Structures are given as structure tokens and as C-alpha cells.
Amino acid sequence: MKIIITKDYQELSEKAAEIIIDLVKNNPSCTLGLATGSSPIGLYKNLIKAYEDGVISFKDVKSYNLDEYCELPKQHRESYYSFMHANLFDHIDIKEENTHLPSSEGSDLQANCKAYNKMLNSTVVDLQLLGIGANGHIGFNEPGTPFKNETSVIKLTDKTREDNKRFFDGDINQVPKYAITMGIKNILNAKSILLVANGKNKAEAIAKLVSGEVTEDLPASALNLHDNVTIIVDEEAASLIEK
Ligand code: GLP
């Protein structure tokens, strides 16, 4: 696992973007696994800038997102579909048909999981981008999720709903209780993994992750089982790493 510590969020976002920009330059038809949450927003801004400056094009890039809330219509402002459009897709030349998110619409969520999983298993993700929850979740794989799990519906923990209520007028009752997420197994199938984390709130999870212990209590610790992982953290998120 390669660990890069940056002085602040801006540097983190630039460094993480550089990795993706290089990948897209070298392989213009690459497949990206994308993430939501506040952590990758700065990185997405840098990707948009690289596109606007003519450094890269996304016209042949394909993307698969990690997860999506249940109980929210696709067009809800806090759906991950809306998030991806607002923070990346609407500002670059990626084709709508090349972007994929799990769907939580319709009455048969199991069928939706199966369909998404089938797509994932018939493609090779060149780089999977990840944030990390304060409790160590990746995607929406909460502590205790078996590493062998593939795409499934999961119940969000109170901690995650509490952390994410900031996007829902600070009201936990508006935060969905369930989500569809790629499983850890899907995530580990990617050729390379890039995790970004900033702020003190993430310091404990990052320290546990880099300690090397592999445990289902900390979903992100599964990354220790992959041989091409880069984590980029700012000084605050790195502050509890044992020297
Ligand atoms: C959500 C997402 C994760 C994300 C995490 C951290 O729960 N499902 O993919 O990594 O939150 O979010 P943030 O970056 O806003 O701290």
C-alpha cells in the first residue's frame, strides 16, 4: 500500500487528480470506478479543469459508481446519480450511456443488484476511487460486511446516517435507511485502487487501515489484500498513523 500524505485538501485533490489524469491520457478508453461523498469533490474539480484545458477527454471513458441510496428517486438532489451529474458528469464529455450507477428504482431491488453485479463482472475497472467513512466503511459496506459480498442492499448504520445528515438539512430522518452498494469483492476486482481521505474525523479509520490488520470490523482493511492500492490523506487524516 502506497501512502501519500499531503499538507491539505487542495494538495490531496491535485495529487489524486494527477493519477486519474495520467491514466486517462495513457488509456483514453479506460474504465473508472467512481465514488461520492465530499472527499472526491476537489479531485473532480481538477478533472473538470483538465478537461476544460484540453489535457484529457472522457469521450471514451466508462464509469461505474460504488453505490446509491434507496428510498430516493433518481432525480432527488441527494441521490448519487444527481451528485455525479452535478459534480462531474455535467461538466465533462463523458457519454451518459457510458456512466453506470446502481439503480434503487422499481420494486425489485434484488434484481437491480443482480443486474449491476453482472455488468461489473463483465468489465475490468482500471482504477477504483474510494472515500472512507469515519467507521471505516467503503462504498456503503458497513462494519461486519463479509468481504466476499458482491453488490447488495445494505442497512446503513446510525453512525453513517448521522455523518451524512449534513447533506439532508441536518435532519437524520431524511437520510435513507438503506442503500445499494458494490461489495468488497467487486471493489477488490479493480486493477488499482485510489483512496482519498481528509480531516480529523477520518484519522482513526486511516490509522487502523494502514496498521495492516485485516478485519471485517473495518471494511477498508480489505484493501490490505490488494497489491495496487494508493491512499492519499491530508495531515489531519494522517495524524494518528503510528510512526
Ligand atoms: C458515503 C459514501 C462513501 C464515502 C463516505 C465518506 O457514505 N457512500 O462512498 O466514502 O460517505 O464520505 P465523505 O467523503 O463525505 O466523508
Side-chain angles (χ1 to χ4, degrees), residues 36-39 67 80 131-132 137 139-140 160 164 166-167 202:
T36 54
S38 51
S39 310
D67 46 13
Y80 285 164
I132 185 170
H137 74 248
F140 265 135
T160 296
N164 287 0
R166 66 192 195 278
F167 300 111
K202 305 292 170 69

Side-chain angles (χ1 to χ4, degrees), residues 68-72 104 109 153-154 176-180:
E68 179 59 285
Y69 284 118
C70 297
E71 306 148 60
L72 296 184
S104 62
L109 294 183
V153 177
I154 53 88
K177 295 190 175 69
Y178 292 87
I180 293 187

Side-chain angles (χ1 to χ4, degrees), residues 149-162:
N149 274 24
E150 297 191 279
T151 311
S152 60
V153 177
I154 53 88
K155 189 172 193 303
L156 298 173
T157 60
D158 292 344
K159 168 73 181 144
T160 296
R161 294 181 66 233
E162 188 62 40

Side-chain angles (χ1 to χ4, degrees), residues 60-203:
D60 295 319
V61 170
K62 289 169 284 309
S63 73
Y64 290 84
N65 261 79
L66 282 168
D67 46 13
E68 179 59 285
Y69 284 118
C70 297
E71 306 148 60
L72 296 184
K74 193 172 163 181
Q75 306 299 345
H76 187 283
R77 69 180 160 89
E78 290 304 336
S79 75
Y80 285 164
Y81 173 87
S82 296
F83 175 100
M84 288 311 301
H85 279 266
N87 290 292
L88 186 64
F89 297 158
D90 289 353
H91 310 283
I92 57 174
D93 60 346
I94 197 163
K95 296 181 182 126
E96 173 79 14
E97 66 267 29
N98 284 346
T99 66
H100 309 86
L101 281 101
S103 165
S104 62
E105 294 191 321
S107 55
D108 192 348
L109 294 183
Q110 296 309 327
N112 294 4
C113 290
K114 249 187 153 171
Y116 198 65
N117 208 57
K118 200 173 165 198
M119 272 200 295
L120 291 175
N121 284 335
S122 60
T123 194
V124 176
V125 171
D126 293 291
L127 180 144
Q128 176 64 56
L129 175 64
L130 296 174
I132 185 170
N135 63 2
H137 74 248
I138 48 176
F140 265 135
N141 294 284
E142 296 282 26
T145 308
F147 289 171
K148 63 173 174 31
N149 274 24
E150 297 191 279
T151 311
S152 60
V153 177
I154 53 88
K155 189 172 193 303
L156 298 173
T157 60
D158 292 344
K159 168 73 181 144
T160 296
R161 294 181 66 233
E162 188 62 40
D163 284 347
N164 287 0
K165 75 176 186 193
R166 66 192 195 278
F167 300 111
F168 293 86
D169 308 323
D171 176 9
I172 194 165
N173 297 314
Q174 290 182 40
V175 185
K177 295 190 175 69
Y178 292 87
I180 293 187
T181 184
M182 274 190 204
I184 305 269
K185 187 172 169 198
N186 303 114
I187 292 171
L188 294 180
N189 278 340
K191 278 197 201 164
S192 65
I193 296 175
L194 172 62
L195 183 145
V196 291
N198 63 290
K200 275 209 178 69
N201 190 32
K202 305 292 170 69

